[in-house]
Amino acid sequence: MSNSIRCFIAIEIPAEIQLALSRVIHQAQLNRESGFRPVRPESIHLTLKFLGDVEQEKAAGITAGLNELSNKVEPFTFQVRGLGAFPTWDRPRTIWAGLQCPPALPGLFRIVDEFTSNAGFPGESRKFSPHLTLARVSEQADPLVARRRIAALQTLPETLFGEVHATHLTFFRSILQPDGSVYRPLSVHSFT
């Protein structure tokens, strides 16, 4: 039996915003039948750092370090607004909701990345691109069906889904399931 757990550090999203985003997923029919893997509403979050498999002893050290780190961060607010696709709308692999963020959010990302790098995890090489993943396009998706669903999303006006008042970080465990990952909080770290 493995002594490691799959983990990530994130900011939780309020339930009312998760629900608004799940309505978009449902209305655009971003479902398995259409070749998409939608994110469960309760699983929509803002990932700051995916750590992968972490030894349980090391996870305890991360928890302690996040307590210290979060004491140096003040609460801040950001908006969830608009939709997009990675890498592009023409070749989508991931459908996401965008964030209008204050400088505090990229600053927090850098602090978390530095902390986890010092703890032995690889530093992030990509530019921070804050977003909330809503669905992924399956490798087996019918390109015509997927294009129709994507086209429907592109016609939507830029919608404000709500504001998030970020007051804490959450250290999550990710449990892989056949129908998608389930996330369980390991610890919560309040900002000062």
Side-chain angles (χ1 to χ4, degrees):
M1 184 166 175
S2 175
N3 191 28
S4 65
I5 52 178
R6 188 175 162 90
C7 301
F8 63 93
I9 300 164
I11 293 177
E12 296 181 77
I13 302 300
E16 62 272 11
I17 296 176
Q18 291 174 324
L19 189 58
L21 293 169
S22 73
R23 282 194 288 267
V24 169
I25 295 169
H26 180 72
Q27 289 168 352
Q29 299 179 354
L30 303 184
N31 52 39
R32 293 193 182 279
E33 294 77 25
S34 298
F36 292 85
R37 294 187 321 272
V39 175
R40 291 183 186 102
E42 67 276 7
S43 296
I44 297 172
H45 63 275
L46 172 57
T47 302
L48 292 172
K49 183 73 173 186
F50 178 74
L51 300 173
D53 291 331
V54 178
E55 296 294 318
Q56 294 207 24
E57 299 80 31
K58 197 167 192 175
I62 291 168
T63 296
L66 288 174
N67 275 336
E68 193 174 309
L69 180 153
S70 65
N71 285 329
K72 299 173 185 169
V73 178
E74 292 183 12
F76 60 93
T77 301
F78 61 89
Q79 292 183 339
V80 179
R81 180 187 292 274
L83 301 171
F86 289 136
T88 67
W89 279 118
D90 294 331
R91 293 186 351 238
R93 300 304 315 145
T94 302
I95 308 302
W96 48 262
L99 305 179
Q100 288 190 331
C101 57
L105 186 52
L108 178 59
F109 168 77
R110 283 190 297 278
I111 292 168
V112 169
D113 190 51
E114 183 178 316
F115 160 68
T116 56
S117 294
N118 290 339
F121 295 92
E124 189 57 60
S125 58
R126 293 178 292 184
K127 180 179 179 259
F128 182 52
S129 182
H131 66 280
L132 306 178
T133 299
L134 303 182
R136 291 178 178 83
V137 182
S138 171
E139 295 284 330
Q140 295 78 31
D142 178 327
L144 291 175
V145 173
R147 248 184 255 128
R148 265 187 253 129
R149 300 295 185 257
I150 297 300
L153 283 177
Q154 287 180 281
T155 64
L156 294 175
E158 184 165 301
T159 304
L160 173 62
F161 296 101
E163 283 194 345
V164 177
H165 188 60
T167 60
H168 62 277
L169 289 176
T170 303
F171 184 32
F172 279 102
R173 177 179 187 177
S174 175
I175 303 163
L176 298 176
Q177 305 270 317
D179 60 340
S181 297
V182 174
Y183 307 136
R184 300 279 183 252
L186 293 171
S187 58
V188 175
H189 309 273
S190 296
F191 301 150
T192 55

